[in-house]
Amino acid sequence: MPKKNPKEIISQSQEAVLVDFYADWCGPCQTMTPILEEVISELGGKIKLLKLNVDKHPQLSQQFGIRSIPHYILFKRGKILWRKGGILTKRDLLNQLKGFV
């Protein structure tokens, strides 16, 4: 299966996709990675996780107005359902996303 580009995944996915805008040099992003993975697995795969490196996808980051990272946007069929920036606790993130599954 060919790897879809992030833009296609965002615009075409029938499932909710949580996009994690991050960079390798970003400490808070690294802190959030295990939290994101735990939350996604607790939601039973109902939300897919797409990690998007802002250094590799500057135009996509710009398109969605990402000015600071980490930043999270939940998409479904290209529409933004929810967005939030910064560090979140696992409980906060889980509670916010539960409303969309």
Side-chain angles (χ1 to χ4, degrees), residues 2-3 13 25 28 38 47 53 60 67 73 76 83 98:
K3 253 184 110 43
S13 177
W25 47 263
E38 282 175 38
I47 292 179
N53 187 322
L60 215 50
R67 287 185 185 81
I73 303 182
K76 192 168 189 175
R83 67 186 297 165
K98 267 185 183 160

Side-chain angles (χ1 to χ4, degrees), residues 4-100:
K4 282 203 170 119
N5 72 37
K7 206 169 185 163
E8 280 176 34
I9 295 170
I10 288 169
S11 62
Q12 295 168 10
S13 177
Q14 300 299 306
E15 305 164 285
V17 178
L18 181 65
V19 181
D20 170 18
F21 292 88
Y22 80 100
D24 293 330
W25 47 263
C26 162
C29 301
Q30 289 160 6
T31 305
M32 282 301 295
T33 296
I35 295 172
L36 282 170
E37 287 166 0
E38 282 175 38
V39 166
I40 293 296
S41 93
E42 282 187 31
L43 293 170
K46 292 192 180 82
I47 292 179
K48 297 276 176 258
L49 179 62
L50 175 65
K51 291 183 75 66
L52 197 78
N53 187 322
V54 295
D55 292 331
K56 294 189 175 123
H57 301 277
Q59 66 284 44
L60 215 50
S61 310
Q62 214 175 358
Q63 183 185 336
F64 296 112
I66 306 303
R67 287 185 185 81
S68 63
I69 50 175
H71 197 98
Y72 311 100
I73 303 182
L74 185 66
F75 292 95
K76 192 168 189 175
R77 295 190 194 91
K79 292 193 169 43
I80 295 176
L81 302 179
W82 173 87
R83 67 186 297 165
K84 188 106 176 125
I87 290 191
L88 299 159
T89 65
K90 181 180 164 190
R91 201 178 74 190
D92 273 353
L93 187 59
L94 196 55
N95 287 339
Q96 304 251 348
L97 295 179
K98 267 185 183 160
F100 298 102

